[in-house]
């Protein structure tokens, strides 16, 4: 007997609705859900392989505990007892306290690092529990994938809008002109811009007469679709975008439009841009001055225009400045917070809109890392500093780690050093379904159930979606006997930190609900102002603590039923009654309510940005030389962890170094032959792929490979291990404001292997 069920795909930010076929206790097929209100049937090869990934025989089904040096299967009770025994003494010896509480920042907290990886934004557990865990632990040693990814955009938003989570997205479906900088949504399916069927939406833009321009050192599949492709020299986008800003002022094209009353610092931006003329930056970006001028004029002339930057604009030396320039260009051309421009989504579980006015603002560097003194950003330290925080002796040295859904041995520069550092820890716990390059160092591995047995709601991505909507899918299959769901795993982990192993994990949810309702009841702007938190909690529905929390957030959110205030509003029950989702309409203007700066306005020229612009000015005298490395994502990949799914391996998804024919001829490299790549962190031997897709002077190697370490359980991946690109990188180069590692535009030396 087969049946079908709905599941939102957790494999990328597009959040497509899947319709899966279930046969017994297995998912046997997955296709796009044509009735999904957002994705309308779109699916990619990763989503289509959902069943194979779900049933991967290498997936762990029971916890592992290290005994006499070896990881062996254990019961869940044994595993959590080992977690408490490993972490509690460190916590008791150093004391804990919430770094969010006033005064608590005086202390660094226990020497326990928390490492959060990418899939946390793709699971219900990852959205709901890590904030509670961090507050309970009170450690400042917090490291996430954000500092090898989008942290520059958070910092830019924090500075501009006073809220690091207020990230405007391109209004894809209504814009007349899309300028893409360092993103390849045809392969990545979009990021910081949730848009199922990104390729279809770009084609629709072209069909309605709109224009697409792509700035990328590679001729990507996205660049091939564009009206114009500029193969910029890696790492020089800040110069190019500043020159566009300068042209807008110089030619009288800067016009902020209706939002003028909510902006400060325009004159300062004009002054900052003064030295960056197209003629001065052209030889550095290797883009002709006249094309830069034309780009600025086109942006200003378009009826509506959106500017969008991703990995190639963030994981670079001037990542925060580039991220800021992306928004500034939209603002200066009157394309901010209006249809067809860049706009702020309004998520169903976000905070309900509040009256405009001054906010708390955004601060950087409230504390610094122990060894290198890196400033915190958004309460995080740079993940490239994790290894040194472990292997450098001294007071406050990290002695244990809680790693949730992260594989930093492959995803972060200098994995070899981190590999050794993790091996030296007194205790490490990983919440991970695989025994991989990172989790092999754990003393306890707690495997979550496969995605078919987990519910899904996109807490993170609804706040980045090009259309407001809400969808929830329950687990498709029941949990295997004794297997806790990932929410319960996180809750039990939190209890272990407090020495409460064995207590009811539901206590964690009850505590969160009590706190949140208490806060709402004391807030004059809340629909439940003055009501009894306990009575409100009684009204919540849901089968689990996590579902009750979802119900609470929906009810208190911008479209919520408000515990009776708006009977037509959203609740969990209403969402469950609409299995294909509820459309909440196109993006709508949100300024000034969305702003949280101290002035209550968009602060266009904050001090840290002006300082970065001055640093960039120092680069105007530097001539380009040498080869630069950039990354690459393949459609059938997902960072480091889909190489174990047979349906997604082989074909074009290969770990090769792409080299331009001119460079190959000069270096006497042959297609398919080996080459040696050397960076400041190490050297690798890689097969060469000669292609005009990369520009001369640039080589490209994908990340997430290097599955040749011992002690892992990744049979398919180990058969075709590839090399770890991040070993070329010592991790010394950072975007200083955000602590984000420079992964693109890294100097490398390429030589033939004789
Ligand atoms: N050179 C270079 N390096 C890069 C990048 C690049 O472009 N170039 N990209 C960077 C970016 S954008 C990112 S986001 C990072 C990603 O860096 P990480 O987050 O460290 O790496 P992932 O490969 O996504 O590993 C995710 C881990 O989560 C586990 N996992 C999968 N599903 C689940 C689940 O449901 N629950 C739990 N608990 N665990 C799960 C996987 O087994 C794996 O161990 O890599 C970065 N590294
Ligand atoms: N198939 C697949 N999809 C994924 C992932 C995956 O691993 N595989 N990972 C997911 C994750 S975690 C993320 S964060 C997103 C990332 O989503 P994207 O950012 O769209 O992904 P990339 O393919 O890395 O695109 C970055 C582009 O920047 C270009 N680039 C490099 N350096 C520069 C530069 O200096 N300037 C400019 N202008 N461009 C530059 C690269 O050539 C590349 O084409 O993708 C997500 N989706
Ligand atoms: S585009 Fe992303 S969300 Fe959609 S099916 Fe593919 S991996 Fe899943
Ligand atoms: Mo990412």
């Amino acid at each position: 007997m087969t049946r079908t069920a709905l599941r939102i795909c957790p494999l990328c930010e597009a959040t497509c609705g899947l319709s899966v076929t279930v046969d017994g206790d297995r998912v046997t097929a997955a296709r796009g859900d044509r009735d999904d209100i957002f994705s309308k049937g779109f699916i990619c090869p990763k989503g289509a392989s959902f069943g194979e990934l779900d049933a991967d025989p290498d997936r762990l089904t029971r916890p592992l505990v290290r005994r006499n040096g070896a990881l062996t299967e254990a019961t869940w009770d044994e595993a959590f007892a080992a977690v408490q025994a490993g972490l509690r003494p460190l916590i008791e010896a150093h004391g804990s306290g919430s770094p969010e509480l006033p005064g608590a920042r005086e202390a660094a907290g226990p020497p326990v690092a928390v490492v959060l990886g990418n899939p946390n934004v793709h699971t219900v557990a990852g959205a709901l529990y890590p904030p509670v865990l961090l507050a309970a632990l009170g450690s400042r040693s917090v490291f996430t994938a954000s500092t090898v990814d989008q942290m520059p955009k958070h910092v830019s938003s924090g500075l501009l809008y006073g809220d690091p989570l207020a990230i405007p997205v391109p209004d894809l479906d209504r814009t007349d002109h899309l300028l893409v900088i360092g993103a390849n949504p045809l392969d990545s399916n979009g990021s910081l811009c949730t848009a199922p069927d990104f390729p279809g939406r770009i084609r629709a833009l072209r069909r309605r007469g709109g224009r697409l321009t792509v700035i990328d050192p590679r001729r990507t599949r996205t660049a091939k679709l564009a009206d114009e492709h500029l193969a910029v020299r890696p790492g020089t986008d800040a110069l190019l975008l500043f020159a566009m800003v300068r042209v807008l002022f110089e030619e009288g094209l800067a016009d902020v439009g209706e939002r003028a009353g909510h902006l400060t610092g325009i004159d300062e931006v004009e002054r900052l841009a003064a030295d960056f003329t197209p003629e001065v930056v052209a030889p550095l970006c290797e883009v002709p001055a006249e094309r830069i001028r034309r780009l600025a004029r086109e942006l200003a002339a378009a009826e509506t225009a959106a500017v969008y930057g991703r990995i190639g604009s963030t994981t670079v030396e001037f990542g925060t400045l580039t991220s800021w320039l992306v928004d500034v260009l939209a603002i200066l051309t009157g394309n901010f917070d209006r249809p067809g421009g860049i706009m702020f989504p309004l998520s169903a579980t976000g905070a309900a809109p509040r009256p405009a006015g001054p906010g708390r603002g955004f601060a950087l560097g409230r504390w610094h890392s122990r060894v290198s003194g890196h400033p915190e950003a958004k309460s995080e330290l740079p993940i490239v500093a994790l290894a040194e925080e472990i292997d450098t002796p001294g007071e406050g040295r990290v002695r244990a780690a809680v790693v949730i859904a992260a594989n930093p041995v492959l995803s972060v520069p200098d994995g070899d050093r981190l590999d050794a550092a993790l091996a030296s820890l007194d205790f490490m716990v990983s919440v991970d379904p695989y025994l991989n390059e990172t989790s092999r160092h754990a003393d306890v591995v707690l495997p979550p159930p496969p995605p078919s047995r987990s519910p899904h709601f996109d807490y993170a991505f609804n706040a980045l979606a090009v259309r407001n909507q809400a969808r929830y899918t329950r687990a498709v299959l029941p949990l295997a006997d004794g297997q806790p769901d990932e929410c319960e795993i996180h809750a039990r982990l939190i209890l272990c930190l407090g020495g409460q192993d064995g207590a009811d994990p539901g206590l964690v949810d009850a505590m969160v609900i009590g706190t949140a309702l208490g806060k709402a009841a004391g807030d004059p702007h809340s629909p439940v102002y003055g009501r009894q938190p306990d009575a409100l909690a009684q009204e919540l529905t849901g089968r689990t603590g996590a579902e009750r929390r979802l119900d609470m957030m929906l009810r208190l959110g911008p479209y919520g039923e408000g515990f009776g205030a708006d009977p037509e509003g959203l609740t969990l029950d209403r969402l469950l009654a609409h299995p294909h989702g509820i459309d909440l309409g196109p993006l709508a203007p949100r300024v000034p309510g969305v702003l949280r700066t101290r002035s209550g306005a968009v602060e266009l020229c904050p001090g840290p940005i002006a300082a970065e612009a001055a640093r960039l000015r120092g680069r105007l005298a530097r001539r380009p030389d040498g080869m630069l490395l950039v990354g690459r994502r393949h459609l059938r990949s997902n960072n480091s962890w889909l190489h174990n799914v047979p349906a997604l391996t082989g074909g074009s998804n290969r770990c090769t170094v792409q080299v331009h024919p001119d460079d190959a001829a000069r270096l006497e490299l042959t297609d398919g032959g080996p080459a040696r790549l050397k960076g400041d962190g190490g050297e690798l031997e890689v097969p060469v792929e000669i292609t005009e897709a990369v520009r001369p002077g640039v080589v490209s190697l994908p990340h997430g490979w290097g599955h040749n370490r011992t002690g892992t359980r990744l049979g398919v991946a180990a058969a075709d291990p590839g090399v770890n690109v991040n070993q070329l990188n010592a991790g010394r180069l950072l975007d200083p404001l955000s602590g984000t590692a420079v992964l693109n535009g890294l100097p490398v030396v390429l030589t033939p292997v004789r």
Side-chain angles (χ1 to χ4, degrees):
M1 254 291 281
T2 64
R3 62 184 170 97
T4 59
L6 300 176
R7 173 62 156 92
I8 300 164
C9 179
L11 298 177
C12 89
E13 300 182 33
T15 73
C16 302
L18 305 181
S19 170
V20 299
T21 306
V22 181
D23 189 354
D25 66 351
R26 265 181 100 110
V27 171
T28 53
R31 53 185 183 78
D33 170 19
R34 262 174 295 162
D35 298 320
D36 184 287
I37 49 94
F38 194 22
S39 65
K40 303 198 164 107
F42 180 78
I43 190 172
C44 85
K46 285 194 283 183
S49 73
F50 182 92
E52 201 175 324
L53 169 72
D54 204 63
D56 184 344
D58 279 341
R59 218 172 243 284
L60 302 175
T61 54
R62 298 187 61 197
L64 303 176
V65 173
R66 193 172 297 279
R67 292 182 178 118
N68 303 320
L71 283 169
T72 46
E73 287 200 349
T75 67
W76 286 94
D77 285 345
E78 286 165 345
F80 283 109
V83 171
Q84 179 158 311
L87 292 176
R88 249 336 257 177
L90 290 165
I91 295 171
E92 276 167 4
H94 294 78
S96 65
S98 168
E100 299 306 324
L101 297 176
R105 292 203 182 96
E106 301 308 313
V112 181
V114 179
V115 184
L116 302 172
N118 171 272
N120 283 301
V121 286
H122 296 278
T123 65
V124 168
L128 295 184
Y129 297 87
V132 188
L133 184 143
L134 292 175
L137 184 64
S139 168
R140 282 186 190 164
S141 299
V142 178
F143 307 86
T144 83
S146 294
T147 51
V148 274
D149 188 349
Q150 84 290 359
M151 189 60 94
K153 197 71 201 175
H154 289 305
V155 171
S156 162
S157 280
L159 294 170
L160 278 167
Y161 315 121
D163 179 355
L165 298 178
I167 294 177
V169 301
D171 188 16
L172 266 193
D173 298 341
R174 290 182 289 186
T175 195
D176 298 295
H177 184 113
L178 180 63
L179 174 60
V180 174
I181 301 145
N184 180 18
L186 258 81
D187 286 320
S188 70
N189 274 302
S191 177
L192 296 187
C193 175
T194 283
D197 194 11
F198 212 122
R201 289 172 204 262
I202 287 188
R203 283 185 210 105
L205 162 77
R206 301 293 313 276
R207 269 202 306 278
R208 61 178 182 265
R211 193 175 167 83
L212 172 69
T213 303
V214 173
I215 303 178
D216 196 309
R218 284 192 306 129
R219 190 159 180 77
T220 60
R221 288 174 64 219
T222 308
K224 283 184 189 147
L225 268 190
D227 298 274
E228 182 163 13
H229 169 218
L230 283 95
V232 69
R233 183 164 167 90
T236 63
D237 300 77
L239 294 166
L240 191 152
L241 302 187
F242 245 136
M244 288 175 69
V245 168
R246 147 109 210 190
V247 171
L248 292 176
F249 282 113
E250 181 190 317
E251 302 191 358
L253 301 172
D255 177 4
V256 297
E258 287 168 34
R259 296 287 169 268
H262 303 292
L263 298 167
T264 64
I266 296 179
D267 296 344
E268 285 93 324
V269 174
E270 180 171 6
R271 274 197 293 278
L272 286 189
D275 292 338
F276 300 100
T277 64
E279 289 69 24
V280 167
V281 307
L284 304 174
C285 306
E286 299 181 342
V287 172
E290 201 37 50
R291 283 182 87 180
I292 301 176
R293 284 187 186 279
R294 186 153 48 83
L295 222 52
R297 289 175 195 145
E298 282 167 3
L299 199 65
E303 196 66 38
T304 63
V307 189
Y308 169 59
R310 247 341 247 125
I311 287 290
S313 73
T314 53
T315 56
V316 289
E317 197 195 337
F318 289 91
T320 300
L321 198 60
T322 310
S323 298
W324 172 84
L325 282 159
V326 163
D327 287 16
V328 164
L329 278 170
I331 291 169
L332 292 179
T333 52
N335 286 301
F336 174 59
D337 193 43
R338 68 140 168 167
I342 61 170
M343 303 188 80
F344 297 98
L346 184 60
S347 155
T349 51
R354 310 178 62 99
R360 282 170 56 191
F362 174 73
L364 280 168
R366 293 163 298 168
W367 57 86
H368 292 78
S369 71
R370 178 182 67 98
V371 180
S372 290
H374 296 298
E376 64 76 37
K378 207 169 150 278
S379 302
E380 295 181 25
L381 297 173
I383 197 162
V384 285
L386 174 59
E388 69 180 21
E389 289 297 317
I390 298 172
D391 68 20
T392 310
E395 189 165 349
R397 177 180 182 181
V398 165
R399 294 317 309 143
V402 177
V403 182
I404 307 178
N407 192 6
V409 170
L410 294 190
S411 59
V412 173
D414 201 355
D416 286 351
R417 180 174 178 186
L418 186 58
D419 202 41
L422 294 176
S424 77
L425 287 171
D426 294 341
F427 183 77
M428 170 171 158
V429 52
S430 271
V431 182
D432 206 289
Y434 285 108
L435 191 57
N436 63 16
E437 297 76 14
T438 297
S439 62
R440 74 194 179 113
H441 291 298
D443 296 286
V444 180
V445 184
L446 304 169
S452 63
R453 294 165 201 265
S454 307
H456 198 80
F457 184 87
D458 279 296
Y459 287 98
F461 300 117
N462 289 345
L464 296 163
V466 298
R467 198 168 170 95
N468 292 319
Q469 41 71 44
R471 294 164 297 154
Y472 179 58
T473 48
R474 278 185 163 151
V476 166
L477 283 162
L479 291 165
D481 271 351
Q483 165 78 50
D485 82 353
E486 188 164 357
C487 294
E488 187 179 334
I489 293 173
H490 285 226
R492 285 188 74 175
L493 193 53
I494 292 166
L495 290 172
C496 288
L497 300 177
Q500 291 173 282
D501 180 33
D504 175 8
L507 286 173
V508 173
D509 300 305
M511 190 269 293
V512 173
I513 288 169
T515 307
L517 290 176
K519 204 169 147 216
D523 175 359
H525 301 297
S526 166
V528 298
Y529 180 56
R531 291 179 60 184
Q532 270 301 322
D534 289 348
L536 296 171
Q538 292 296 324
E539 289 185 34
L540 296 175
T541 64
R543 290 178 187 164
T544 60
E547 282 198 346
R548 282 189 290 280
R549 288 174 67 183
L550 175 58
D551 190 32
M552 175 184 73
M553 283 187 267
L554 290 169
R555 288 177 194 235
L556 293 177
Y559 314 90
E561 161 268 12
F563 289 85
D566 175 9
E568 302 296 302
L570 273 187
T571 62
L572 175 64
D573 281 342
R574 177 144 303 147
L575 210 48
L576 286 168
H578 294 82
H580 305 285
I582 296 180
D583 182 47
L584 299 167
L587 304 187
R590 292 190 59 200
V591 169
V594 71
L595 305 174
R596 291 283 172 275
T597 51
R598 285 174 191 265
S599 62
V602 176
E603 295 177 359
L604 267 185
C605 194
I609 290 292
E612 277 294 276
R615 191 169 72 91
L616 183 68
R617 217 169 285 126
R619 291 306 156 87
L620 289 173
R622 247 194 227 180
R623 297 293 115 180
D625 79 285
M627 294 211 100
L628 298 177
L629 173 75
V630 299
R632 179 161 99 238
R633 280 173 163 77
H634 290 275
L635 180 60
R636 293 176 302 132
S637 74
N638 195 14
N639 299 328
S640 76
W641 68 280
L642 287 194
H643 295 139
N644 213 52
V645 180
L648 299 177
T649 54
S652 63
N653 193 6
R654 288 189 306 139
C655 187
T656 56
V657 58
Q658 293 186 334
V659 182
H660 188 271
D662 294 352
D663 290 323
R666 185 171 48 83
L667 297 166
E668 295 178 19
L669 297 171
T670 51
D671 195 52
R676 182 162 293 121
L677 260 179
K678 200 168 182 302
D680 70 347
E683 58 179 80
L684 302 170
E685 209 178 292
V686 206
V688 171
E689 180 184 340
I690 299 176
T691 166
E692 288 187 343
V694 285
R695 45 158 294 164
V698 172
V699 292
S700 169
L701 191 60
H703 73 286
W705 295 83
H707 306 290
N708 51 358
R709 294 175 202 256
T710 57
T712 63
R713 193 182 300 169
L714 295 163
V716 177
D720 180 15
V723 294
N724 177 10
V725 64
N726 283 320
Q727 202 48 54
L728 296 170
N729 190 345
R732 289 189 200 102
L733 284 175
L734 297 183
D735 167 46
L737 290 184
S738 70
T740 301
V742 174
L743 305 174
N744 281 292
L746 202 74
V748 287
V749 177
L750 181 70
T751 48
V753 176
R754 304 270 175 232

